[in-house]
Amino acid sequence: MAISLLVLLHEGGHFFFSKLFGVRVEKFYMFFDVGIGKWDGSIFKFKPKNSDTQYGAGWLPLGGYCKIAGMIDESFDTEQMSRPPQPWEFRTKPAWQRLLIMIGGVLVNFLLALFIYSMVMFSWGDSYFDTKDMTMGFKFNQDAKALGFQDHDMLVSYDGKPFGRFDVDVYRHIADAKTVTVKRGNKNVNIQMPEDMSLLDMLKTEPAFVRPFVPAEVDTVMPESPAAKAGMLKGDKIVSINGKPVDSWTEFTYQAGVLSDMLANAKTKSDSLKIRTATIVTTRDTLHLVLTEDLKLGVGQTSIASYYEPVKVSFGFFESFPAGIRYGINVLRGYVSDLRYVASADGAKSLGGFGAIGSLFPPVWDWHQFWMMTAFLSIILAFMNILPIPALDGGHVLFLIYEMITGRKPSENFLIKAEYVGFGLLILLMVVANLNDILRWLGYM
């Protein structure tokens, strides 16, 4: 639903500026109406009386489009371009008007995202955990410890700037920093960072490069679970599992992952039972139990919210706009920064299609998360469309800027070929992204 709304509004931006400058919009479609045989590819269509525009929906879910008269676009209508130019056509308008028509969709998506973020700030405010408040420090993996980090270090600053809120930006700051300062005991320690740090590597490793230190303390015990049957109680702190020391839920999850790898190679039910039979030592008792077939203990875990109070900020109506704009620009800055990893092999594997987009939304309806994800997708849609790739808005903008600087239009033959190349690249990208979704679903990625 969110994607459909964003696509309609994006195309509405092109539509608005086209109408503003007297350019006819021949089609306004959701999805693409690629014809098959005698069928024109439309699921439904209608044309209001005295209107130049046919509205409808196609069968190929690749976004949507406005077919603007006198323009070389994804419709590849070369027949129209062979006829004499008309005053209501895109190609007869001044370059600055054509430029506004082309950036109209991007402009709508970007402004919409900032508006949504602002209204989220007004309705829900902002809530986050600040790194300086995390007095138990952080848990680091072996890669981080090799650089000089130690468990319970408190993150203070990167290149002299405080970390602030704990979110994905913490990983970005560490990856890009020359020096990270931590508080160890009662003194600050500077850790020199290598130049080849990769955010992608930091996020994909298990256990993660850094996580807030959360003791392996039991918050709840599920009835009839292995933990309940063994006598585990709320408030118990797990010290070890099968002789392996455990000091946090991060470490417990890692040890459970080791058991999962062993279980995957089990040959018989006896082997499986042996792997699932565990000895767990808590601060109160030593427990012998059999984990479930998916290696669940049956307890609710404590979280950072169990130990720290989040920072909560409320905004008045007018205050929410600068707050939302700052938040949106920071999201865009982070996304643009992360694009450098897409060209790598691991980055290509991280691409996702419709399945990945759907997984961004929570399984249980949550208006806050819905609007946050909608705003995020709107910003991404704006940025991706302004990239200087033929068939995208950015490709048309690039050619228009060239025309405005040189005073010469690219030939129609060149524009048609460029459109084919760009459209082919987009199809390839879509295939790769959705193939990644399928491979993840099948367990191959």
Side-chain angles (χ1 to χ4, degrees):
M1 182 174 77
I3 291 294
S4 298
L5 174 66
L6 295 177
V7 169
L8 284 172
L9 290 172
H10 177 93
E11 298 305 327
H14 296 307
F15 186 91
F16 171 78
F17 282 104
S18 296
K19 291 296 186 181
L20 181 66
F21 299 129
V23 176
R24 285 184 183 175
V25 177
E26 297 176 349
K27 283 187 175 183
F28 186 95
Y29 261 61
M30 185 68 187
F31 303 150
F32 287 91
D33 54 333
V34 179
I36 301 175
K38 294 183 178 180
W39 180 44
D40 67 0
S42 299
I43 297 175
F44 75 87
K45 59 184 178 181
F46 67 95
K47 189 173 184 179
K49 188 177 180 180
N50 300 324
S51 173
D52 299 316
T53 307
Q54 176 178 291
Y55 301 88
W59 65 271
L60 187 60
L62 293 180
Y65 76 100
C66 280
K67 186 179 184 302
I68 299 172
M71 175 184 169
I72 296 172
D73 59 10
E74 55 268 41
S75 67
F76 301 107
D77 187 357
T78 55
E79 180 182 345
Q80 182 186 67
M81 301 302 293
S82 65
R83 295 195 291 265
Q86 301 297 323
W88 60 79
E89 290 186 335
F90 177 84
R91 55 181 164 168
T92 62
K93 299 300 178 180
W96 69 270
Q97 291 186 4
R98 285 181 279 137
L99 181 63
L100 284 174
I101 290 171
M102 291 319 305
I103 67 172
V106 168
L107 188 62
V108 166
N109 282 136
F110 184 66
L111 294 178
L112 174 66
L114 298 183
F115 177 75
I116 292 175
Y117 281 132
S118 298
M119 291 300 95
V120 167
M121 294 297 177
F122 174 65
S123 300
W124 286 278
D126 195 9
S127 179
Y128 61 91
F129 293 96
D130 198 309
T131 54
K132 66 180 175 58
D133 296 332
M134 297 183 181
T135 53
M136 288 186 292
F138 291 80
K139 179 77 176 176
F140 298 89
N141 69 7
Q142 292 305 314
D143 293 337
K145 289 176 180 176
L147 296 175
F149 292 96
Q150 294 182 13
D151 288 343
H152 296 291
D153 281 351
M154 293 177 62
L155 295 174
V156 176
S157 62
Y158 61 99
D159 294 335
K161 292 176 267 189
F163 276 101
R165 64 195 301 151
F166 184 81
D167 57 17
V168 71
D169 280 344
V170 167
Y171 294 88
R172 292 191 182 105
H173 297 329
I174 293 175
D176 295 337
K178 294 180 179 178
T179 304
V180 173
T181 302
V182 300
K183 184 177 181 180
R184 187 174 297 161
N186 293 320
K187 64 178 182 178
N188 285 351
V189 177
N190 292 326
I191 299 174
Q192 301 303 312
M193 304 301 295
E195 294 182 359
D196 59 348
M197 285 289 291
S198 167
L199 174 65
L200 205 59
D201 289 339
M202 292 171 66
L203 293 175
K204 76 175 184 177
T205 53
E206 187 59 45
F209 187 91
V210 58
R211 281 282 188 270
F213 189 93
V214 178
E217 182 177 353
V218 176
D219 183 64
T220 55
V221 179
M222 312 301 177
E224 302 301 317
S225 66
K229 292 176 182 177
M232 192 171 286
L233 301 175
K234 173 182 172 65
D236 282 351
K237 289 185 178 180
I238 298 174
V239 176
S240 70
I241 177 170
N242 294 338
K244 303 293 183 181
V246 170
D247 62 354
S248 62
W249 284 120
T250 300
E251 187 63 34
F252 183 87
T253 301
Y254 174 73
Q255 294 300 336
V258 172
L259 293 179
S260 180
D261 291 340
M262 295 170 60
L263 191 62
N265 295 318
K267 304 293 184 183
T268 65
K269 287 186 177 181
S270 177
D271 292 337
S272 173
L273 180 61
K274 185 176 180 180
I275 293 168
R276 293 190 294 115
T277 301
T279 299
I280 294 180
V281 178
T282 70
T283 49
R284 187 179 56 83
D285 202 356
T286 297
L287 308 175
H288 303 282
L289 48 81
V290 178
L291 302 173
T292 63
E293 291 187 2
D294 55 353
L295 297 175
K296 299 298 183 185
L297 179 59
V299 299
Q301 302 179 1
T302 52
S303 65
I304 57 175
S306 305
Y307 304 97
Y308 307 116
E309 285 291 329
V311 177
K312 295 182 178 180
V313 185
S314 298
F315 300 95
F317 181 75
F318 294 106
E319 294 173 319
S320 67
F321 287 97
I325 291 169
R326 285 195 301 270
Y327 190 93
I329 290 175
N330 187 59
V331 168
L332 178 60
R333 185 186 296 118
Y335 182 79
V336 173
S337 173
D338 297 345
L339 277 182
R340 60 186 144 159
Y341 300 109
V342 173
S344 66
D346 287 333
K349 291 178 183 177
S350 70
L351 291 173
F354 302 122
I357 291 172
S359 69
L360 292 173
F361 293 89
V364 179
W365 188 264
D366 183 309
W367 277 111
H368 178 265
Q369 287 300 310
F370 171 80
W371 287 118
M372 289 294 284
M373 286 299 103
T374 300
F376 174 73
L377 291 174
S378 192
I379 270 193
I380 302 315
L381 187 61
F383 178 77
M384 294 302 293
N385 267 282
I386 205 61
L387 291 175
I389 299 173
L392 291 178
D393 297 341
H396 294 288
V397 168
L398 178 65
F399 298 140
L400 278 167
I401 292 174
Y402 168 82
E403 178 188 339
M404 294 171 77
I405 293 173
T406 65
R408 298 192 305 269
K409 285 185 178 182
S411 70
E412 290 184 0
N413 185 49
F414 170 80
L415 292 176
I416 290 170
K417 288 180 179 178
E419 195 77 11
Y420 274 114
V421 171
F423 199 72
L425 288 173
L426 293 178
I427 293 292
L428 178 62
L429 182 62
M430 187 199 72
V431 170
V432 170
N434 285 283
L435 180 60
N436 283 349
D437 284 349
I438 295 171
L439 291 175
R440 289 189 194 99
W441 181 68
L442 294 174
Y444 291 107
M445 288 181 65

